[in-house]
Amino acid sequence: MERQLTLALSKGRIFEETLPLLQAAGITVTEDPESSRKLILPTNDPQIRVIIVRASDVPTYVQYGAADFGVAGKDVLLEHGGEGLYQPIDLNIAKCRMSVAVQAGFDYASAVRHGARLRVATKYVQCAREHFAAKGVHVDLIKLYGSMELAPLVGLSDAIVDLVSSGGTLRANNLVEVEHIMPISSRLVVNQAALKLKRERLQPILEAFERASQANND
Ligand code: PRP
């Protein structure tokens, strides 16, 4: 029998923090992606399955309808552009912030004041471009796919734009936050066609997610 609903999640914080929302909708994921290494996970409801994809790929799976709905960070959605996606709910999970950071001792404020052209390494090229353009800061952006904290330490860049949660990774690498760009949390994203064609199945889940996510509101 063909399954009716596919939910796209990424491993780690988003998966862990989506579980209580699924629980509120009566859905239990019956295998752990960390131990099973499976990419398609069954749930207690034979009509609902979870697929495990890279965080930055969640919008793509949902956009093309390979997943009916998914959970993606605001950072990922801004970089993707959100085409073909309905974004009904901020789930208030996987909260962190997007920030500019530099090596301790680098005088960022003075460099900006003097109109220096800064090299900035980041995975978030769109967000970074908009941020610095709005501030009138001249930057050369270097696209990286991870371990951004390394870039200033080895002379690849003057600054990074990255997500900061506890601040532990910055501290461990002798970096300091110099600007907050925006708060980040994860949103529910729904394929626009699925919303129409599978509304009956989706609607109660969306409502349960919305109710449960209100509890995450500070
Ligand atoms: C994120 C981010 C930082 C780290 C920040 O990486 O890119 O490296 O978490 O968290 P902290 O402030 O609590 O130290 P993540 O571990 O999600 O991996 P990623 O690089 O694959 O995004």
Side-chain angles (χ1 to χ4, degrees), residues 4-187:
Q4 285 189 319
L5 286 179
T6 299
L7 169 66
L9 297 176
S10 53
K11 268 200 255 189
R13 254 187 107 180
I14 286 184
F15 182 82
E16 300 298 333
E17 296 185 26
T18 301
L19 288 181
L21 303 178
L22 285 167
Q23 198 73 55
I27 302 164
T28 312
V29 184
T30 47
E31 279 188 47
D32 172 19
E34 300 289 350
S35 57
S36 83
R37 304 191 67 85
K38 281 190 187 160
L39 300 176
I40 300 180
L41 303 176
T43 72
N44 61 326
D45 182 339
Q47 297 294 301
I48 300 174
R49 64 181 178 174
V50 171
I51 60 170
I52 300 296
V53 303
R54 276 288 289 268
S56 51
D57 292 334
V58 167
T60 307
Y61 277 84
V62 177
Q63 174 187 3
Y64 286 95
D68 298 297
F69 60 143
V71 176
K74 183 177 174 185
D75 51 320
V76 163
L77 290 167
L78 287 171
E79 291 297 311
H80 172 270
E83 197 192 329
L85 302 177
Y86 174 58
Q87 301 181 30
I89 312 168
D90 184 345
L91 298 172
N92 293 309
I93 61 169
K95 287 189 201 176
C96 56
R97 56 191 181 271
M98 188 180 287
S99 295
V100 182
V102 299
Q103 208 168 357
F106 178 82
D107 193 345
Y108 175 79
S110 158
V112 166
R113 222 176 18 252
H114 290 102
R117 195 171 184 93
L118 296 174
R119 288 216 295 191
V120 179
T122 187
K123 181 153 71 170
Y124 307 105
V125 172
Q126 299 295 345
C127 294
R129 184 175 293 121
E130 277 175 35
H131 172 73
F132 292 112
K135 293 184 65 92
V137 177
H138 301 290
V139 293
D140 290 318
L141 295 171
I142 300 173
K143 168 88 182 180
L144 290 180
Y145 294 88
S147 300
M148 265 81 78
E149 292 86 359
L150 183 62
L153 307 182
V154 295
L156 179 63
S157 72
D158 303 305
I160 60 170
V161 167
D162 195 7
L163 301 185
V164 181
S165 180
S166 65
T169 310
L170 292 182
R171 276 193 299 279
N173 291 290
N174 195 33
L175 301 177
V176 290
E177 229 172 328
V178 288
E179 266 166 16
H180 288 188
I181 299 180
M182 66 179 94
I184 298 289
S185 57
S186 289
R187 302 192 74 93

